[in-house]
Amino acid sequence: MKKIFLNLGLQPMANNFAIKSKNKQKFYNLKIKFDNKNYLTSISKIIPSKNIYNSHYPYLSSMSKTMQVSFKNLAKKIKNKYKPKNIIEIGSNDGSFIKYFNKKNALCVEPCSNLAKLTRNKGYKTFNNFWDYSLIKKIKKIIPNVDFIYSANTISHINNLNTTFDCIKKILSKNGVAVIEDPSLLESFKKNIYDQFYNEHVYVFSLISLKKILTKYNLEIFDIDRLSTHGGSLRYYIKHNKNNKLKINKKVFIQEKKEIKFGLNKFKTYIKFAERVYDSKKKLVDIFNKIKKNKKRIIGYGATAKSATVLNFCKINNKHIDYFLDTTPYKINKYTPGSNILIKKYERKLSTEDCEYAFLGAWNFKKEIFLKEKDFLRKGGKFITHVPFPGIIGKKFKNKL
Ligand code: DWN
C-alpha cells in the first residue's frame, strides 16, 4: 500500500528556469509517498518525461569539480577492475564520465537533444533517446553483448522501473556489470535533505527498495560504494543473479542492516522525517526574516533544481534573495522557477561588498564552494544553509558533511 508522508506544497518544474520575471509557471502539488510492499519512496505526481528532458535541459554535470573527480576515479576503477570491452552510459549528460573511455567502445544514451549534441560533437556515438525497448533493439545491432552499463543520477528520474531494468537485463552480457548511482534515502533522512524531492526525482532509492525490484528481473546487487556526492549517494554494482563469478560483498549486507535499523522499512520513520522537514521550514523562514529585518543583503549561491523545492516550500523569493550566482551557461539571466529570482553569471569570487549572506543552493558542494570563497568567509561573509539543520555558517566553520 502506498501512503503519503510529506507534502511539499505547490511546486513548479525544478529546472524550468524562466526567461522573464513574473513568468507563468505551471504548479503541481508535490507529495511524497512510501510503498510498504516494496519500500519504494516516490513523488505522487509524475510529469511526462518528454516535457522535462527536451532540447533545453539546463543541467551540466561538469559544473562541479567534485563530480568531475568522482567520475574520473570511477572510470579508473572500472578499467582496472572490470576491464570492459565496451560501455554504455544511460543519461550521459555533457560527457563528463564517458570522456575517460575510448570512443570506439563507448556509447551514450541521452534524451535531452542539447546535451546529446555535446557528446556527439566530441565524437561519441550518441542516441538521443529514452532508455526503452525500441532503443535496446538499435543498440543490440551495434553492440550485441554489452559488458558494462553506467548510469549516474538518471534511474531515479525514470518512472517506469520495470522497462528500465528489463532493458538492462536484456542487453547486459552474461558476465556484464551495470552500475547505477543515485542519492541515498538513508543519507537524505539522516541529514534532513528534503530537497532531493522534486518533479525530476520520481524516486529516492534505498538499497532495500532496489533489491526488491531487481529480484523481479533476476538481477542482483553484489557491491556498493557509499559516496559523499549530492549529500550522500549509493553506487550499486549489479549483475545477473546466475553469475556466480562475482561474489556479494559484505558491504551490501552492512548497508541493508543499517537501513533496516534506521527503520526505512517502517512508515513511522517516514512520518518522523516529515515532522523534521516541517520544523526545518519554520527555522529557515525565521533566519531569512531576521536577516531581512536587519536590512542585510542575501544572495543565492548555485541555482540548483533542489533549491526550487526549498524556496517554493518555504515561500522564499526575490523579496528575500537579491539574485543567484551560477556557473551554468543555460541558467544565466533567467529566473528561478516559482520564486522569480534573477540568476547572474558567476564571474569572480564572492566579496563582502556584494552581500552579507549567501544562501547555499548548492549545499552539496559546500566543501568545494567554501574553499573557493574562503576570502568571503574570512572577511565576515556568511552562508545560510538548511542541511542538515537550518543555520548560518561563518568563518569558524569546519566541514562535517
Ligand atoms: O539529478 C539531478 C542532479 C544530479 O543534478 C538533476 N535532476 C538535476 C541536477 O540537480 P541540481 O540542480 O540540484 O544539481 P547540483 O549538481 O547540485 O547543481 C549545482 C548547481 O550549482 C549548478 O547549477 C552549478 C552551480 N554551481 C556554481 O554555480 N558554483 C556549482 C558549484 C560547485 C559552484 O562552485
Side-chain angles (χ1 to χ4, degrees):
M1 196 176 52
K2 292 173 190 167
K3 280 207 257 179
I4 287 175
F5 61 91
L6 176 63
N7 186 348
L8 292 168
L10 287 178
Q11 293 282 348
M13 279 160 63
N15 266 313
N16 198 14
F17 296 96
I19 294 166
K20 281 186 192 155
S21 166
K22 300 241 161 56
N23 58 87
K24 275 201 182 133
Q25 292 271 346
K26 269 195 189 159
F27 287 83
Y28 66 99
N29 203 196
L30 182 60
K31 290 180 183 170
I32 322 298
K33 59 189 181 182
F34 172 64
D35 186 339
N36 64 0
K37 239 176 155 185
N38 55 14
Y39 305 148
L40 203 52
T41 301
S42 58
I43 57 171
S44 57
K45 167 102 181 102
I46 312 294
I47 294 170
S49 300
K50 59 177 180 7
N51 295 358
I52 306 171
Y53 311 106
N54 45 32
S55 58
H56 45 274
Y57 188 70
Y59 179 73
L60 299 176
S61 48
S62 60
M63 286 297 119
S64 82
K65 280 199 185 123
T66 314
M67 288 314 290
Q68 287 182 29
V69 171
S70 175
F71 290 140
K72 190 177 180 179
N73 291 342
L74 176 65
K76 205 171 156 191
K77 180 174 172 180
I78 292 173
K79 285 181 188 172
N80 290 340
K81 198 166 173 182
Y82 299 101
K83 303 179 176 55
K85 288 194 197 77
N86 54 55
I87 182 161
I88 292 183
E89 186 179 9
I90 309 172
S92 46
N93 198 273
D94 59 4
S96 311
F97 168 77
I98 210 73
K99 70 176 181 190
Y100 296 106
F101 292 85
N102 192 318
K103 293 181 185 78
K104 285 186 205 147
N105 315 319
L107 204 146
C108 302
V109 177
E110 176 50 66
C112 307
S113 58
N114 58 324
L115 302 176
K117 232 185 243 167
L118 300 178
T119 46
R120 254 183 214 151
N121 288 346
K122 286 173 197 148
Y124 285 89
K125 171 90 186 151
T126 305
F127 281 103
N128 179 208
N129 287 84
F130 287 101
W131 179 249
D132 57 18
Y133 293 108
S134 63
L135 175 66
I136 64 161
K137 256 191 202 167
K138 289 186 212 162
I139 295 179
K140 274 194 169 185
K141 284 182 190 155
I142 307 169
I143 315 177
N145 291 306
V146 175
D147 266 2
F148 212 96
I149 296 176
Y150 177 60
S151 190
N153 300 304
T154 300
I155 306 298
S156 57
H157 294 222
I158 309 177
N159 183 24
N160 193 336
L161 293 179
N162 290 326
T163 302
T164 303
F165 290 119
D166 198 27
C167 285
I168 289 180
K169 171 81 189 170
K170 287 196 160 83
I171 204 161
L172 193 66
S173 69
K174 220 171 77 192
N175 295 320
V177 172
V179 168
I180 66 169
E181 68 181 65
D182 283 286
S184 149
L185 187 71
L186 181 64
E187 294 308 311
S188 301
F189 274 24
K190 278 187 179 169
K191 295 171 194 152
N192 304 317
I193 302 171
Y194 62 88
D195 50 352
Q196 281 302 2
F197 296 110
Y198 52 91
N199 69 294
E200 291 182 16
H201 284 173
V202 180
Y203 305 100
V204 177
F205 296 121
S206 57
L207 170 78
I208 56 170
S209 63
L210 263 186
K211 216 181 139 181
K212 286 227 178 213
I213 301 157
L214 291 170
T215 314
K216 282 209 289 196
Y217 298 95
N218 295 321
L219 291 167
E220 191 168 31
I221 298 165
F222 69 93
D223 202 357
I224 51 159
D225 289 333
R226 292 182 64 223
L227 309 172
S228 58
T229 51
H230 295 298
S233 297
L234 275 183
R235 181 181 283 152
Y236 307 88
Y237 293 75
I238 299 164
K239 63 173 184 72
H240 291 285
N241 64 2
K242 281 197 181 134
N243 173 2
N244 295 323
K245 283 187 190 157
L246 294 164
K247 300 282 167 240
I248 300 184
N249 192 302
K250 67 171 188 275
K251 284 196 279 181
V252 178
F253 302 112
I254 294 171
Q255 178 70 21
E256 202 176 341
K257 266 193 187 163
K258 269 190 196 162
E259 292 186 356
I260 300 283
K261 195 172 170 208
F262 191 86
L264 289 187
N265 54 339
K266 294 193 184 108
F267 189 64
K268 68 174 189 218
T269 309
Y270 293 72
I271 293 291
K272 276 190 200 153
F273 169 71
E275 283 164 4
R276 295 199 298 279
V277 173
Y278 299 132
D279 187 52
S280 171
K281 173 182 175 172
K282 267 191 221 141
K283 289 187 174 133
L284 187 66
V285 170
D286 272 359
I287 290 173
F288 270 90
N289 287 343
K290 267 186 202 144
I291 296 174
K292 288 323 284 180
K293 213 172 154 194
N294 290 330
K295 306 219 171 336
K296 303 284 185 206
R297 286 158 307 165
I298 308 174
I299 65 139
Y301 199 113
T304 57
K306 293 183 291 292
S307 53
T309 295
V310 181
L311 300 177
N312 288 287
F313 178 54
C314 299
K315 301 199 168 40
I316 294 165
N317 53 34
N318 52 17
K319 291 193 186 91
H320 307 90
I321 296 179
D322 296 354
Y323 57 87
F324 259 90
L325 288 175
D326 201 286
T327 51
T328 316
Y330 296 129
K331 298 183 185 176
I332 312 298
N333 292 331
K334 298 202 175 134
Y335 292 82
T336 57
S339 47
N340 268 314
I341 305 164
L342 176 66
I343 304 165
K344 291 189 185 178
K345 185 177 179 181
Y346 178 89
E347 287 180 302
R348 53 165 178 80
K349 291 188 179 161
L350 208 56
S351 149
T352 43
E353 311 262 294
D354 303 325
C355 62
E356 287 86 5
Y357 294 87
F359 169 65
L360 261 183
W363 54 263
N364 43 321
F365 298 122
K366 184 155 78 178
K367 208 170 170 181
E368 179 179 337
I369 292 170
F370 284 9
L371 195 66
K372 196 156 53 179
E373 307 302 347
K374 57 181 185 301
D375 284 349
F376 173 71
L377 280 164
R378 198 170 43 80
K379 287 187 182 150
K382 294 183 175 75
F383 282 94
I384 306 168
T385 189
H386 63 290
V387 176
F389 303 104
I392 291 168
I393 304 170
K395 58 182 157 193
K396 283 187 190 139
F397 173 76
K398 290 251 182 319
N399 199 325
K400 286 194 196 112
L401 269 187

